[in-house]
Structures are given as structure tokens and as C-alpha cells.
Amino acid sequence: MNKKKEKAIITVIGKDRTGIVARVSTALFEENVNIEDINQTIMDGIFIMAALVDISRSRKDISALRKKLKKVGELIGMEIQIQHEKIFEAMHRI
């Protein structure tokens, strides 16, 4: 059975340091979340990352993923948010 893809947007913002992408991607891997697209930049020492992820095979629902990513963010000193793609699209529709 082929389950329909369910996507979410993850943003990560904070002071740049080593291991940010590794920590976030490891947490996603542990929950069977696939990174489909990722973009990152550093602006005046501030790390900014946005990722489009497939959560359709995740071991946790989006609320539990949000809690896990919040904890990861606290450990590495970053603000990490996850938002369902449909909510993101509705909020940013012109």
C-alpha cells in the first residue's frame, strides 16, 4: 500500500556552531522522517536552516515531533520549529 506523502517545514535558527545539521538530521532519522529538501545559510554568525520533510512514515505524529525537536533545540541552543505543510501554505497564501 502506497501511503500519500505528508510534508512539513522545519526551521532552525540560532548562533552558528558545529553539529547543528547533524543533530537535527539524526533526530529526524530516529523518527523515520525523510529530508526532501534543505537550505541553510549563516548571516553574521546566525545559522538559519529550512527543510522540507516527509513525515508520512514517521514513528510520531507532528505534535510529538515538535516536542522532540524542541528538546534537541534546547540541547544545542537553537530555536527549532516544525509546521505541517498545509498550515504553512494557508498562513502564507496571498
Side-chain angles (χ1 to χ4, degrees):
M1 181 164 100
N2 210 1
K3 189 174 179 182
K4 185 180 178 200
K5 282 193 177 183
E6 190 176 354
K7 296 184 182 182
I9 310 295
I10 295 174
T11 56
V12 181
I13 300 173
K15 187 176 180 202
D16 187 35
R17 58 180 45 103
T18 59
I20 299 167
V21 176
R23 282 291 191 83
V24 174
S25 61
T26 297
L28 296 173
F29 169 77
E30 290 170 351
E31 302 306 332
N32 205 35
V33 173
N34 186 47
I35 299 170
E36 293 196 338
D37 197 1
I38 189 168
N39 190 353
Q40 67 182 50
T41 192
I42 299 167
M43 298 171 66
D44 198 24
I46 303 298
F47 177 89
I48 303 165
M49 181 179 93
L52 176 65
V53 297
D54 179 359
I55 59 172
S56 56
R57 296 178 189 239
S58 175
R59 292 179 178 84
K60 295 183 177 177
D61 65 17
I62 196 158
S63 179
L65 285 171
R66 187 173 290 116
K67 288 177 186 174
K68 179 170 184 162
L69 291 171
K70 180 177 170 56
K71 286 181 185 177
V72 170
E74 289 170 356
L75 287 171
I76 62 174
M78 306 297 284
E79 180 71 31
I80 303 177
Q81 301 285 327
I82 184 170
Q83 203 170 40
H84 198 281
E85 181 185 44
K86 289 180 182 179
I87 293 171
F88 184 83
E89 287 176 358
M91 287 176 51
H92 296 90
R93 193 170 291 143
I94 296 176

